[in-house]
Amino acid sequence: MKKRKQLSQDPEKFRTLIKIGFSMREIAKIDGVSPMAVSRRAKKYGIEPKYIFRAKHCVLSPGLRELLDGLLLGGGSLVSHHPKKKTYFFTQASTKLPYIKWIAEQLNKSGIEPQGKIVPMTENRFHQRSQYWRYTSWAYYELTEIWFRWYRKGKKEVPPDLKLTPTIALLWYLRGGYLGKGNKIRFAVTRYSSQSFQRLRQELRRIGCQSRLYLHSKKVIELPSVDSKRFLDYIGPCPKKLQKVLGYKWRIDKKR
């Protein structure tokens, strides 16, 4: 059976939907893609983006701040369709659906609600088709404060006052770290500036973990095996709901 062409992939139908009042988010929901994907297509076709402005308020409790710091360090993003109105939403993608569901659950407990359902998406990389899932929250006025903390010059950087608490370090490891050969934990930090990854190394030293930095095609922070064990002890066990998909990151091989 031939797959139905998405409405936002047809310029004529796309323009018609915008003209009669459909928002980008509504079109994205119909097509089963993210609002950002629809926005990229609108730009490609020269269609003026249209969004129905909706935003909420939340309480930036210490727990929520810590959760957001960990998720942002672990690859999440804060985005705005209405920066002049000073509202931002949180979004994150992963090839592991249980992880995205777990994130949605943690955020919901802290007062950040999802904007619609988790969206399945596909991507072509190196001539291979892969599937992943994306979570998007509602836009919140208070997240503007977090955005300015993480995107001081418009580019995402590690805040100079960031402290690697067990929770933040755990969230960083779940999405941004992995256990490599020789029981060495590695973190990819390619997107960050030298100031940011030096800040992270400083925080790792503070919790008793030495590290080395590789500056080749990818910037990688690596912990020696002895400090990998110390790091895992610091962050605690893998969350129960993620044991099946991410528990392998805690399986140190004593034979290595």
Side-chain angles (χ1 to χ4, degrees), residues 12-221:
E12 187 175 340
K13 290 181 180 179
F14 198 169
R15 288 190 178 88
T16 299
L17 288 173
I18 293 295
K19 189 175 182 180
I20 62 179
F22 277 78
S23 70
M24 293 291 183
R25 286 192 182 91
E26 289 169 330
I27 296 172
K29 189 176 292 186
I30 293 170
D31 282 350
V33 298
S34 72
M36 285 187 284
V38 174
S39 294
R40 286 195 294 269
R41 291 169 185 173
K43 185 177 181 180
K44 177 182 177 181
Y45 302 141
I47 298 173
E48 186 68 27
K50 180 178 180 180
Y51 296 94
I52 297 175
F53 178 69
R54 297 189 184 101
K56 296 187 177 187
H57 286 282
C58 67
V59 176
L60 284 177
S61 64
L64 177 56
R65 289 175 184 273
E66 187 177 39
L67 177 62
L68 289 169
D69 276 349
L71 292 174
L72 288 167
L73 185 57
S77 301
L78 287 176
V79 183
S80 179
H81 290 314
H82 303 278
K84 290 183 179 180
K85 295 182 183 292
K86 297 183 179 180
T87 62
Y88 286 81
F89 61 88
F90 176 82
T91 183
Q92 187 152 25
S94 174
T95 57
K96 294 178 171 56
L97 180 58
Y99 170 71
I100 292 296
K101 287 183 175 180
W102 183 80
I103 282 177
E105 184 180 293
Q106 303 309 306
L107 286 167
N108 201 51
K109 288 178 181 178
S110 298
I112 300 295
E113 300 175 22
Q115 172 62 47
K117 297 180 180 180
I118 292 170
V119 179
M121 309 181 75
T122 56
E123 182 179 42
N124 290 317
R125 272 192 176 186
F126 307 112
H127 307 292
Q128 290 187 339
R129 194 174 183 83
S130 60
Q131 184 173 39
Y132 62 100
W133 287 265
R134 179 171 290 282
Y135 164 88
T136 302
S137 79
W138 273 94
Y140 289 87
Y141 292 94
E142 290 74 15
L143 294 188
T144 302
E145 179 184 331
I146 307 297
W147 186 87
F148 276 111
R149 184 162 176 266
W150 276 85
Y151 299 80
R152 294 185 304 280
K153 296 181 180 179
K155 181 183 176 183
K156 187 179 178 185
E157 295 289 356
V158 177
D161 63 345
L162 181 79
K163 296 292 184 183
L164 272 185
T165 65
T167 295
I168 291 175
L170 168 67
L171 292 165
W172 182 27
Y173 185 55
L174 283 172
R175 182 66 175 82
Y178 63 96
L179 187 62
K181 292 182 179 180
N183 294 324
K184 296 176 181 178
I185 285 178
R186 295 184 176 95
F187 296 94
V189 290
T190 303
R191 69 168 60 196
Y192 295 125
S193 67
S194 59
Q195 290 86 354
S196 286
F197 51 71
Q198 292 301 340
R199 175 61 187 157
L200 290 172
R201 292 187 68 199
Q202 179 183 344
E203 276 300 291
L204 287 167
R205 285 194 296 273
R206 184 183 62 80
I207 64 174
C209 298
Q210 298 302 316
S211 66
R212 56 187 297 187
L213 181 67
Y214 291 96
L215 296 174
H216 298 294
S217 58
K218 292 183 179 180
K219 299 172 187 174
V220 175
I221 290 176

